[in-house]
Amino acid sequence: MSERPHSASGTSTAPSDKNKALAAKKAALKGVNGQKARKIRTSATFNRPKTLKLARNPKYARKAVPHVPRLDQYKVLKSPLNTESAMKKIEENNTLVFLVDVKANKRQIKDALKKMYDVTALKVNTLIRAVNLTAPTLSIVGFFSPDGNKKAYIKLTADVDALDVANKIGFI
């Protein structure tokens, strides 16, 4: 039997080094991605994968000065309504009636009432008096045709009297 060369530690290194070198040569020639498994598609449609969406980080402000709030409390509540039906609501239902901005929502109306008169609203009902362009407009004393304004019926909490608030506002 022939003797194999030994390393310093006393084990044989030639065959394993040769195998490693051949494997490296084969990988270099063929490439390492040759046996990549294909993903099985289960749908006929392709959905683009969701990628990272970074938050905006602008280099400069697009507006020099941000605008003041378009609907502050003075713009939201235009004026209180003091018609007979509105007075009846104040006395019987603890409800104030206001003409409000058409773009104002119920939350904004509630907040505006809180800021201006320091009373909390229990509930806000709104309606827009729709304009009927086909019917002839009538202007009899005491009768106004629908004008496109928004009305808000603001029901106050039980601890606050609507009549006192109306006196405080000054329309009674």
Side-chain angles (χ1 to χ4, degrees):
M1 288 189 100
S2 66
E3 288 270 337
R4 288 190 183 161
H6 294 286
S7 66
S9 64
T11 57
S12 155
T13 58
S16 64
D17 287 345
K18 188 175 181 184
N19 288 343
K20 282 183 183 175
L22 287 172
K25 178 184 172 188
K26 183 179 174 187
L29 289 172
K30 190 174 180 186
V32 290
N33 296 323
Q35 293 298 320
K36 189 175 180 185
R38 281 193 167 269
K39 182 184 173 194
I40 297 169
R41 299 235 169 247
T42 56
S43 173
T45 58
F46 176 77
N47 291 322
R48 188 179 58 79
K50 303 287 183 282
T51 56
L52 178 67
K53 289 183 178 133
L54 295 170
R56 288 185 173 189
N57 187 13
K59 300 284 184 253
Y60 65 94
R62 296 301 190 264
K63 281 184 167 181
V65 179
H67 65 79
V68 294
R70 289 191 172 95
L71 280 178
D72 60 347
Q73 68 262 27
Y74 303 107
K75 239 179 184 173
V76 169
L77 297 178
K78 286 184 184 174
S79 64
L81 212 61
N82 58 356
T83 58
E84 276 185 45
S85 60
M87 289 309 196
K88 191 174 179 185
K89 289 252 184 237
I90 289 171
E91 291 162 3
E92 294 176 8
N93 301 343
N94 204 32
T95 302
L96 292 172
V97 185
F98 278 89
L99 286 178
V100 295
D101 194 286
V102 179
K103 295 185 197 84
N105 60 32
K106 293 180 182 186
R107 192 170 289 113
Q108 288 169 329
I109 294 166
K110 216 175 196 179
D111 293 341
L113 192 81
K114 176 80 174 157
K115 280 182 189 171
M116 288 180 74
Y117 306 115
D118 295 323
V119 288
T120 52
L122 189 69
K123 182 179 171 183
V124 176
N125 286 338
T126 58
L127 67 89
I128 296 176
R129 298 172 0 176
V131 179
N132 187 357
L133 296 174
T134 56
T137 56
L138 300 171
S139 59
I140 305 168
V141 176
F143 176 79
F144 298 98
S145 62
D147 50 6
N149 284 333
K150 189 176 204 174
K151 254 203 284 191
Y153 295 91
I154 306 166
K155 185 158 177 68
L156 304 179
T157 52
D159 60 323
V160 180
D161 188 28
L163 206 56
D164 293 339
V165 177
N167 282 328
K168 183 179 162 187
I169 293 170
F171 72 91
I172 288 184

